[in-house]
Structure formats: C-alpha cells, structure tokens
Amino acid sequence: MTASLKLGIAGLGTVGSGVVRLIEENGTVLAERTGRPLVVSAVSARDRRKDRGLSLEGVRWYDDPLAMAAEEDLDIIVELVGGSDGIALDIVRTALEQGKSVVTANKAMMAHHGTELARLAESNQAALAYEAAVAGGIPAIKVLREGLAANQFVRIHGILNGTCNYILSTMRDTGREFGEVLAEAQKLGYAEADPSFDVDGIDAAHKLALLTALAFGTEVDFDSIQMEGIRSISSMDIAYAEELGYRIKLLGMARRKNGQIEQRVHPCMVPLDNPLSQVDGVFNAVLAEGDFSGPIMIEGAGAGEGPTASAVVADLIDIARGLKLPPFAVPADKLERAVPLESDAHFGAYFLRLLVVDRPGVIADIATALRDEEISVEALLQRGRAPGEAVPLVIVTHETGEAQVLRALNRIEELDSCLQEPRFIRIESS
Amino acid sequence: MTASLKLGIAGLGTVGSGVVRLIEENGTVLAERTGRPLVVSAVSARDRRKDRGLSLEGVRWYDDPLAMAAEEDLDIIVELVGGSDGIALDIVRTALEQGKSVVTANKAMMAHHGTELARLAESNQAALAYEAAVAGGIPAIKVLREGLAANQFVRIHGILNGTCNYILSTMRDTGREFGEVLAEAQKLGYAEADPSFDVDGIDAAHKLALLTALAFGTEVDFDSIQMEGIRSISSMDIAYAEELGYRIKLLGMARRKNGQIEQRVHPCMVPLDNPLSQVDGVFNAVLAEGDFSGPIMIEGAGAGEGPTASAVVADLIDIARGLKLPPFAVPADKLERAVPLESDAHFGAYFLRLLVVDRPGVIADIATALRDEEISVEALLQRGRAPGEAVPLVIVTHETGEAQVLRALNRIEELDSCLQEPRFIRIESS
C-alpha cells in the first residue's frame, strides 16, 4: 500500500459533509480499490462551530480556503464552495498553479472557465476532475470521456435538471399549474428560494456546456447556448402532449451540424419510445449517441448528498489510481473554437398552441399564415365549440425550419382573432 | 505524440471486423484522445481468403494465433475468437505470460477463468480488459469499476441478454408463443441456430458472474449461479403480467446477503415503476444500486458489430492512456471466495399459474396447501367458468420464502384437480 492521499476540502455544506461521511463509512473498501487510503487532512468552511454531525478530529481547519489551497502538504483540493467566480475560482487557480490536483462539483465555474482551467491544470501536470458537476451521481463524464471514447458523437441529449423534471412530472401527475407545483417543490427542498437557475434552464445549460465540450472536442461555450426554461409550460400543454403521445421534458441537446455546434436547452415534446420520456421525478439522464455504440442512456439521481458525494469520491479514486486525463478528453490546446449554429436554424416538428376567438374564418387565416411559410400541418385540435368565445387551438406541424415557424407565429399573433402570444414547443424525434 | 500502440487481433468475425473498421474510420479522433495512434499490426483468423470488406494492407497475417500472441513486437492482443476454453484461452494465457496486455470480448472464458486470468495479468503487469464481454456497447464494467467505485453495492440487476429480451418483448407485442417468436428471431439473425446459450440463461449468467465479482470483490463464481431460462414462459403469463402491472424480463441479479453472495438469472415479473421494465427489444441494461449513489441505470445495444467494437476500442484507449487497473477492481489475491446463498433462500412475492379442473373444492384445496406453508395470497384470478373443464388459475402471493413456495407447489401438483406442473415466476420489487 502506497502513501495516503491527503485531501483538503473547501466547503462543508451538503456535498462536503457527504464526502467526509462517505470516506469515513466506505474507507476500507476504497483503500482496497485504490491501493491508497484517502485521508481528509484539512477542511475549510465558513462557520467552524456549526454542528455538521461529522467527526473532524485530527483534521486541520482553515478559515482561509486560499491558504489551504496553497498548503504544500496536501495532494488534492476538493472545491465545493460553488459560484462561477469569486473565491471558488481563486481556490481552484491557486491549487492548480501549484500542481495540486482539483476535484470540483462546480458546474457554473466549469461552464464559464472550463477551458482556461483545463489549460492551467494541464500545464501544471495536475488533474482537474468534475464528475459531480454534471448530473450528480451519474458518471456521465466518465461514460463520455472513456466508456464511449471510441466514438464520434452524433448527438447528446439529457435531462439535466432534477428540479424541472420533478415539476414537469408532478404537473403531469396532478394536473396542477407550474406556480403551484414550484411553491410545493420549494417547500420540499427540491427548488431554491430563487428558482431562476433551475427553472430558466441556466443550471441545465451549465451542464450541457461541459458535455458538449467533452463530446465534440470544442472549447466550453456556455454563452452560445440557446436557452429557454419551463415557466411558460401550462397544464394544458402537458395534457395535449399526453394525448398526442409525448411527454414534456426540459432537455439539453448538443450536436455538430455542418461543422457548427448546436447547443439548446428548452422544453421538448419527447415521444414515448424515446427512453428519456420515461425518466420521471428528480432523476437525471444523459443519452449519448455514438457512431459505433448507438444510443447509450445513463439515468440516476442528479443531485443530493449521497449521489453527489459518490461522484466526487469517484474522481478522487481515479486520481489515487493514477488516472490523469485532459479534463475535456483532448488537450485543452487542441479543443476547437466552436462555431455556434444560429438559434433559428433548428429543423424539426413543432407543437403550436394558440388562444383564438371561435368564429368562422379563423382557422383559414391561421392556415394561410402557415402555408405562406410552407409549413405543413400534421394535426389540428380544437376542443369543443364556444361561438364568439376564446378557445385553445393546437397545431402539430411536420418537420420545418424554426425561422419559418417564428415568422408564421409573428403573423398569427397580429390577427385580431388571436388573443394571446402563441406558444410553441419543439418536438424531438425518437 | 508518443509511439503507436501495436495491436494483434485474433478473430475477424463480426466483432473483429468491426474493430478494424472503427480504428480506420475514427483513427484521427482516437489519436487525439489517446495521444497514441492505435495501429492494427497483425491479425489472425481461420480463412485468409475470405472477403471481409477490410483493407488489411501492410497488416501481418498469422495462420497461428498463438504465434501472434507470442510476437514480441506487438503491444496488445485483442482476443475475439470466443469459446470458454481451447484456443481463446491459450491465446490469452500466452499473451499475458509475456506481459502483453489483452482486450477480450469473451464472456464465457472470463466467467470460467476470470480470477485465474486476472491473477496472471497482474503478476505480469499486464492489463486484462473485457468491457465488450458484458452488455455489448454499454460501458457497464467501467461504470461499476470506476464511475461508482466510491460505493458499496446494494445490488446489481440487469437485462443481460438481448435475444431473450427481444423474444419476450415480441411475445408481448404480438401475443405469439415462445417457439414461434424464437423461430422468427433465428431467421432475423437475433438468435443462434442452437439457441440454448441465450434462452436458457447461460449467456446472461456469464455476464452476471463478471458483474458480481466486480461489484462485490469476490472471485468469479459462475457455477453458483441459480439459472433458469425463458422457454417455459407462455403468452398467457405475459398477458397476466400486463394485467397485474408487470413486464416479464429475464434478469440477472446479484447481491450480498448475510455475508453470502446471491446470484440469480431467471425470468421475473418487473413492476412498471422499475426502469428495467421499460427496456425493450434487443437492448440491454444494467441497474446498479450503490449505497451513496442510489440506483444508476445504463441502457443501450447489448450486441452487434458497432456497439461491441465500441467497447473493445474503449478498452484499447484506456490502455493507450495508461490506465491499468486490476481486472476486478481489487487485486485478484484480495478477491474473497464467495459463499453462495442457497438457491431456495430467496424471499419475495411469487406469481403462480396452475391449470386446474373447474369444480367445487379445488380452490379450497389449493388455499389449504398455501396456508399450511404460511403463504399469504394477495390476488387470485380465475378467468370465466367452465364446469368440469380445465381452467387456468393465477395466484399472486405476498412476500414469502422460496422453500415454502416450492413445498406448497409440490403438494398442489399432487392434487387430482391439478392438470399440469404448476409454473411460478418471481416478482421483483421496484
């Protein structure tokens, strides 16, 4: 058995405490699997007196995490402070500059500074591992970077935010509206007091940016992600989806198209024969399609103390076992600068939901707007009759360009008979 | 870029040809990801003249695969000959004895000789990688050995044989019987002329034996697996399963129970809220439950040229990247000898299907047999009435011991009113 691996953990919130607990509980089997015991040698957190239910006897306490990051005696710094910039970024830079390996769960930081940090890690012969930053306990990074490394990726699809998936699943199960389910999710601790990161798609986009870089060998490019959250999804949309044979999911999607990189996060109608449609509740899933492997899906808990700690410690085990790969699979200097696909270049089928006055000629006006943009209609649903009143009208299109759909909807919105901004949801193929 | 990695491939069937094609097509991206080009330097197969659609220019041909395995100039031997013993085993032993790393897709060989070969590999500082031996393109080995390495495993469940899953899915979709669907699967090339390896559960058991060793740190123990195939599943069972909210799947299952290792391969009633119930057709899936990660499921193509080649080359990439772990995660000398759980020690709910004469007193006789074994009944279904004729009778039990169920069924079989050997299917919890 070689010398122990000395860890300094910055941040002792839910995940940090979970990591300490895991190393304590599973220490024996970890040492067998790595040949090197993992030892928590130092920690740094805001409040030393807080009771975390952890025995930190013999563990050095640092009030200043930067001092800990610079400590020569430590082998790996585990950054669990969070936040895209500020102290987290300083901790990681300090450690890497000294050639100390870093394990982090910080998706925001990696999404904004991933390429730079990868370069820094590589030039200092340090590992920079971030399995816990994407989809919690699911080893998605390892599966893309190693398990499917023989493939050129056709596309990556994922349910990357458990809060949104919980809200959408619950809306479907209960028929309740977004606001009500969100409030309940906040009470249950599944959503933050400020839910914007989750429900507006930002968190999913952070994770997607990392998966894209890894899969396509491009620099991390969070800013180019086309992003749309789930606030505008109504129980009516969910009911129509059900009727049409779809489930509404917030998906993160990436692919290479004509040399450009397409990255999108938005609600989708997912057909029931796509395995992502079956992933419910707080679960996350990543569906990677390799040119040789075909589609491979991995599903599990996307957050929480245990699953996230499992991912952090898996990274520690890799380092203990001597695995040191470039963070994005190829050396950072070889990552291509991604050319983003224009946001309206998407091509696919669309679900359109309008609120219109029920009177003669309305459907003809709408059909004309669609025809003029060469959009062909697969289904048109109008429920009941209410002459002179407002009624919902749902249209499912055949595959068409997004630019055409947007132009047609602009024109439809200007019709007197159209009472509300038209809504649309993209339909994913299976 | 360091020196190329010279491969010798033994066996140029579907998988071997796929590996050559993959390395040719994706060579550039592989070299970027590994920093070392993978070069097919030598091949050995039975018939040199056969047209495989491969360009093997500049590749040395060996009529004798053992001579190739002993060739000093090669870095890795890829064993794709197959068969648990014989030439495949000789090739692997020869290569490992010389400190040459081996990549194999041979589940039968690994299931029968895995521990010995792991020991041989480790004592010669060689890698022995077998990702392609379990669940084709799904990186199940990597996920258990590395992605979830922080966990103690609670249990491993898997759909490990695509032929059985295809047959069961098709029986359900079409209402046809086993024999008919098997014949069709043979015509389509989804089943072998001699289907026994697949439909009797042997192939799934080979894979399970490897997953068990990896998850629980035990020696590979194929012989202790309790094994039962799908030949006795009727369309009637499938229809009842549907009605009761289950899907019938051939599962491989392993867990540690009171220090003993339970390994079972048999058809199961899987509840619809268990994600394995949703895996249909030729797909495979592995559901691993870690103590910290919770359940993680990985699903994809379990066989075929592309997916299997993807797994073989992933192993080659690992070796090129310098990853050399003990084949079963901990050193072979530290693997425990598994103490197998007795086959009738299973505890769970059961689906029982009888064929009985429809006459007064029959149900009372059966109920008495169950009561005497303290088996409590959750549901009893008898379709229609046919006085004096044979009718199927279905019983769903609450959780009970398998030994009790077997005793009760023995007694029921002896009743005059029981016209056929009673059938039972174990019900898995979700």
Side-chain angles (χ1 to χ4, degrees):
Chain A
M1 179 119 357
T2 30
S4 65
L5 210 60
K6 292 184 193 136
L7 315 177
I9 299 180
L12 281 180
T14 310
V15 179
S17 302
V19 169
V20 174
R21 241 185 294 277
L22 194 162
I23 291 174
E24 195 179 298
E25 282 181 32
N26 288 354
T28 312
V29 61
L30 297 184
E32 263 180 17
R33 288 178 186 160
T34 60
R36 289 182 80 168
L38 301 173
V39 175
V40 180
S41 296
V43 295
S44 176
R46 232 173 279 165
D47 183 358
R48 188 166 186 170
R49 278 160 310 235
K50 191 172 161 186
D51 180 17
R52 299 173 174 88
L54 303 172
S55 144
L56 292 170
E57 238 176 285
V59 176
R60 267 171 295 159
W61 181 279
Y62 284 84
D63 286 317
D64 177 8
L66 286 179
M68 184 178 77
E71 174 58 67
E72 279 198 12
D73 184 44
L74 298 172
D75 300 302
I76 306 179
I77 297 298
V78 183
E79 185 280 301
L80 302 169
V81 172
S84 65
D85 293 80
I87 187 70
L89 187 57
D90 291 339
I91 293 169
V92 173
R93 281 187 180 140
T94 303
L96 292 177
E97 276 162 8
Q98 302 201 2
K100 229 186 271 312
S101 288
V102 168
V103 171
T104 177
N106 191 331
K107 51 210 105 176
M109 177 187 72
M110 288 301 294
H112 287 284
H113 306 284
T115 313
E116 172 218 321
L117 294 176
R119 208 171 275 131
L120 187 61
E122 291 167 28
S123 62
N124 288 285
Q125 282 84 50
L128 168 62
Y130 55 96
E131 182 66 83
V134 178
I138 303 176
I141 300 297
K142 183 161 283 275
V143 165
L144 291 192
R145 192 186 48 192
E146 300 163 48
L148 301 178
N151 294 272
Q152 303 201 53
F153 290 98
V154 179
R155 56 180 189 171
I156 306 291
H157 279 193
I159 293 178
L160 300 173
N161 184 274
T163 305
C164 288
N165 208 46
Y166 170 83
I167 291 174
L168 292 170
S169 301
T170 306
M171 286 175 71
R172 174 177 157 256
D173 290 346
T174 63
R176 303 214 308 268
E177 290 295 346
F178 172 80
E180 202 183 328
V181 177
L182 170 63
E184 192 197 70
Q186 286 170 319
K187 252 187 241 162
L188 291 169
Y190 293 164
E192 307 283 332
D194 174 2
S196 175
F197 250 55
D198 291 317
V199 303
D200 293 329
I202 304 166
D203 174 77
H206 284 151
K207 298 167 187 168
L208 181 67
L210 302 176
L211 294 175
T212 305
L214 200 49
F216 299 105
T218 50
E219 294 184 357
V220 187
D221 185 16
F222 173 76
D223 293 331
S224 301
I225 296 179
Q226 185 186 352
M227 191 162 45
E228 199 184 297
I230 63 166
R231 291 187 200 259
S232 69
I233 301 295
S234 70
S235 64
M236 201 193 290
D237 295 322
I238 290 180
Y240 277 115
E242 207 63 14
E243 188 179 336
L244 294 162
Y246 298 101
R247 297 270 162 84
I248 298 180
K249 297 286 175 193
L250 182 78
L251 295 190
M253 291 160 286
R255 62 176 163 174
R256 189 187 283 278
K257 204 172 169 180
N258 310 326
Q260 296 173 305
I261 296 290
E262 179 179 35
Q263 294 187 92
R264 302 179 279 134
V265 170
H266 56 65
C268 286
M269 296 265 188
V270 183
L272 292 181
D273 61 351
N274 180 322
L276 289 172
S277 72
Q278 311 291 337
V279 177
D280 283 324
V282 294
F283 280 87
N284 279 200
V286 174
L287 179 65
E289 193 176 334
D291 57 350
F292 277 77
S293 66
I296 299 284
M297 185 173 90
I298 181 159
E299 173 186 352
E305 174 178 329
T308 312
S310 165
V312 168
V313 179
D315 279 342
L316 294 171
I317 293 171
D318 270 353
I319 296 172
R321 283 169 166 172
L323 183 69
K324 195 193 289 172
L325 296 178
F328 295 101
V330 303
D333 287 335
K334 296 233 167 132
L335 294 170
E336 280 174 55
R337 177 144 303 180
V339 180
L341 193 75
E342 305 79 50
S343 70
D344 64 355
H346 178 65
F347 190 85
Y350 287 78
F351 165 93
L352 314 176
R353 182 168 60 77
L354 316 175
L355 189 69
V356 298
V357 184
D358 186 5
R359 71 176 176 224
V362 171
I363 291 185
D365 290 345
I366 292 165
T368 304
L370 295 170
R371 184 207 56 199
D372 289 353
E373 291 295 341
E374 293 179 15
I375 295 168
S376 115
V377 171
E378 184 186 308
L380 190 150
L381 305 176
Q382 190 191 321
R383 255 324 101 63
R385 298 250 34 195
E389 311 264 300
V391 288
L393 181 70
V394 160
I395 296 163
V396 176
T397 77
H398 284 288
E399 294 214 324
T400 182
E402 183 149 325
Q404 290 156 267
V405 171
L406 295 177
R407 282 196 301 267
L409 289 181
N410 271 338
R411 219 174 112 183
I412 289 169
E413 193 175 355
E414 280 167 19
L415 296 173
D416 283 345
S417 52
C418 180
L419 302 175
Q420 193 188 55
E421 190 190 348
R423 301 276 163 77
F424 71 95
I425 301 176
R426 296 166 193 90
I427 299 178
E428 271 308 300
S429 52
S430 42
Chain B
M1 180 116 1
T2 31
S4 64
L5 209 60
K6 292 183 194 135
L7 316 176
I9 299 181
L12 281 180
T14 310
V15 179
S17 302
V19 169
V20 174
R21 242 185 292 278
L22 193 162
I23 290 173
E24 194 179 301
E25 282 182 32
N26 288 353
T28 312
V29 63
L30 296 185
E32 263 181 17
R33 288 179 187 161
T34 60
R36 290 182 80 169
L38 301 173
V39 176
V40 180
S41 297
V43 295
S44 176
R46 229 173 282 166
D47 183 358
R48 188 164 186 169
R49 279 160 309 236
K50 189 173 163 188
D51 180 16
R52 299 174 173 87
L54 302 173
S55 143
L56 292 171
E57 239 176 285
V59 176
R60 267 171 297 158
W61 181 277
Y62 285 84
D63 286 318
D64 176 7
L66 285 179
M68 184 178 78
E71 173 59 68
E72 280 199 12
D73 185 44
L74 299 172
D75 300 301
I76 306 180
I77 297 298
V78 182
E79 185 279 303
L80 302 170
V81 173
S84 65
D85 293 81
I87 187 71
L89 186 59
D90 290 340
I91 293 169
V92 173
R93 282 188 180 140
T94 303
L96 293 177
E97 275 161 9
Q98 302 201 2
K100 230 187 268 315
S101 289
V102 168
V103 171
T104 177
N106 191 332
K107 52 210 103 173
M109 178 187 70
M110 289 300 293
H112 286 283
H113 306 284
T115 312
E116 172 218 322
L117 294 176
R119 208 171 274 133
L120 186 61
E122 291 167 29
S123 62
N124 289 286
Q125 282 85 49
L128 168 63
Y130 55 95
E131 183 66 82
V134 178
I138 303 176
I141 301 297
K142 182 162 282 277
V143 165
L144 291 192
R145 193 186 48 194
E146 301 163 46
L148 301 179
N151 294 272
Q152 302 200 55
F153 290 98
V154 179
R155 56 180 190 171
I156 306 292
H157 279 193
I159 292 178
L160 300 173
N161 183 275
T163 305
C164 287
N165 207 46
Y166 170 82
I167 292 174
L168 293 171
S169 302
T170 306
M171 285 175 72
R172 175 177 157 255
D173 290 347
T174 63
R176 302 214 306 269
E177 290 296 345
F178 172 80
E180 203 183 326
V181 176
L182 170 62
E184 192 196 72
Q186 286 170 319
K187 251 187 239 159
L188 292 169
Y190 293 164
E192 306 284 333
D194 174 1
S196 176
F197 249 55
D198 291 318
V199 304
D200 294 328
I202 304 166
D203 175 77
H206 285 152
K207 298 167 187 167
L208 180 68
L210 302 176
L211 294 176
T212 305
L214 200 48
F216 299 105
T218 49
E219 294 184 357
V220 186
D221 184 16
F222 173 74
D223 292 331
S224 301
I225 297 179
Q226 185 186 353
M227 192 162 42
E228 197 184 299
I230 63 166
R231 291 186 200 257
S232 68
I233 301 295
S234 71
S235 65
M236 202 194 292
D237 296 322
I238 289 180
Y240 277 115
E242 207 64 15
E243 189 180 334
L244 294 162
Y246 299 101
R247 297 271 162 82
I248 298 180
K249 298 286 176 193
L250 182 77
L251 295 190
M253 291 160 286
R255 61 176 163 172
R256 189 187 282 277
K257 205 174 169 179
N258 309 327
Q260 297 173 304
I261 295 290
E262 179 179 36
Q263 294 187 92
R264 299 180 281 134
V265 170
H266 55 66
C268 287
M269 296 265 187
V270 183
L272 292 180
D273 62 351
N274 181 322
L276 289 172
S277 71
Q278 311 291 335
V279 176
D280 283 324
V282 294
F283 281 87
N284 279 200
V286 174
L287 179 64
E289 193 175 333
D291 57 348
F292 278 77
S293 66
I296 300 283
M297 185 174 90
I298 181 157
E299 173 186 351
E305 174 177 329
T308 312
S310 165
V312 168
V313 178
D315 279 342
L316 294 171
I317 293 171
D318 270 352
I319 296 172
R321 283 169 166 171
L323 182 68
K324 195 193 290 171
L325 297 179
F328 295 102
V330 303
D333 286 336
K334 297 231 168 138
L335 293 171
E336 279 173 56
R337 177 144 303 178
V339 179
L341 192 74
E342 305 78 50
S343 70
D344 64 356
H346 179 64
F347 190 85
Y350 286 78
F351 165 94
L352 315 177
R353 182 168 60 76
L354 316 174
L355 189 68
V356 298
V357 185
D358 185 5
R359 71 176 175 223
V362 171
I363 290 184
D365 291 345
I366 292 165
T368 303
L370 295 171
R371 184 208 56 198
D372 289 352
E373 291 295 341
E374 294 179 16
I375 295 168
S376 116
V377 171
E378 183 184 308
L380 190 150
L381 305 177
Q382 189 191 321
R383 253 326 101 61
R385 299 249 36 196
E389 311 263 301
V391 288
L393 179 71
V394 160
I395 296 163
V396 176
T397 77
H398 284 289
E399 294 213 324
T400 181
E402 183 147 324
Q404 291 157 265
V405 171
L406 294 177
R407 281 195 301 265
L409 289 181
N410 271 338
R411 219 174 114 183
I412 290 168
E413 195 176 354
E414 281 167 20
L415 295 173
D416 283 344
S417 52
C418 179
L419 302 174
Q420 193 188 56
E421 190 190 347
R423 301 275 164 77
F424 71 94
I425 301 177
R426 297 168 192 89
I427 299 178
E428 272 308 300
S429 51
S430 44

